[in-house]
Amino acid sequence: MADRHFVKYTFLKLDPAWRRLPESERAEHKAEFLAACEDFGTDHLIQGFSLVGTRGDAELMLVMEAENLDRVHEFHVVLAQSGLMKWATQPYSFLGLRKTSEYSDEERHIPRRFKGKYLFVYPFVKTRQWYGLDPKERWRIMQEHIEVGREYPTVDNHTTYSFGLDDQEFVVAFDTDDAGAFLDLVQRLRTTEASAWTLRDTPSFTCINTSIERALNALDGESLSVTA
């Protein structure tokens, strides 16, 4: 499994009471959280995103990649030891595995960062009838879907697979500098034949790509010194 990495999306929501704690205590909580992330990031890919202003039920998201589930587990155990996590709930959590699509020759199993200003994430499930189609028919239908995606080169796809690992079948993620291009792409995909085989593709998360430190600062509007 060394050539395929697990991708974990962790969404957090803070108790409003946390913002009424003294600034020094909040700074300490954020520093502990940041330290756990930076320690994991010394030899693994981890990124932070802010959802402040774009969702009401989640404020911060971490995306991390690891070569096995043990490392995913260990990181979240360490993260839970931070003061911030004692005030946080995890309203959403998605686990996937990088894997090259059977409908495309593009390699998708190699870890890579999200580079766009914005990241759009949602769980995806197809109908069971879809898997009963002849493989050649499924391949034909998906070619139109793929070609539509290529009409929007500024939107990059980072789909991972979740069959049996989590509730969804895929975690779909697109990063881009142009939120409007992503909206146009999704609207255009609704017209494809493949769209008729979609069972579920919500909730949908609009995330701001930023450093973990800045995502933490957005939680209470107070800047955090790395040395805090």
Side-chain angles (χ1 to χ4, degrees), residues 37-167:
C37 294
E38 289 180 338
D39 181 66
F40 180 84
T42 57
D43 54 2
H44 291 84
L45 180 60
I46 183 169
Q47 291 182 260
F49 298 84
S50 179
L51 291 90
V52 173
T54 65
R55 288 284 300 200
D57 52 358
E59 298 170 295
L60 184 151
M61 180 184 72
L62 294 177
V63 182
M64 49 84 68
E65 300 203 23
E67 65 279 9
N68 56 55
L69 290 174
D70 294 331
R71 291 297 290 123
V72 175
H73 167 74
E74 291 164 3
F75 168 67
H76 285 83
V77 168
V78 173
L79 195 67
Q81 296 170 4
S82 69
L84 187 72
M85 288 299 289
K86 294 177 175 59
W87 292 86
T89 58
Q90 191 171 318
Y92 303 98
S93 170
F94 303 137
L95 178 65
L97 184 67
R98 285 197 179 275
K99 180 182 177 182
T100 297
S101 171
E102 63 184 292
Y103 308 113
S104 172
D105 294 330
E106 297 180 27
E107 291 191 357
R108 294 291 184 180
H109 63 276
I110 300 173
R112 56 197 179 98
R113 297 181 66 85
F114 298 106
K115 298 179 180 180
K117 293 180 181 178
Y118 311 108
L119 178 66
F120 303 91
V121 182
Y122 54 91
F124 190 86
V125 180
K126 285 184 173 291
T127 66
R128 287 300 178 92
Q129 289 80 6
W130 166 258
Y131 299 101
L133 295 177
D134 184 275
K136 292 181 180 179
E137 179 67 1
R138 285 191 280 115
W139 188 91
R140 180 193 66 78
I141 293 172
M142 285 302 298
Q143 295 318 295
E144 178 194 15
H145 187 86
I146 292 171
E147 286 304 314
V148 168
R150 288 172 178 163
E151 295 175 9
Y152 298 83
T154 61
V155 183
D156 193 13
N157 181 12
H158 294 254
T159 296
T160 54
Y161 291 67
S162 301
F163 291 93
L165 301 179
D166 210 337
D167 293 347

Side-chain angles (χ1 to χ4, degrees), residues 21-29:
L21 295 177
E23 180 182 346
S24 59
E25 189 171 352
R26 285 183 278 117
E28 181 180 356
H29 291 172

Side-chain angles (χ1 to χ4, degrees), residues 176-193:
T176 181
D177 290 338
D178 186 351
F182 172 73
L183 182 148
D184 293 340
L185 168 61
V186 174
Q187 184 175 8
R188 175 72 176 84
L189 287 173
R190 292 289 194 272
T191 69
T192 65
E193 187 176 355

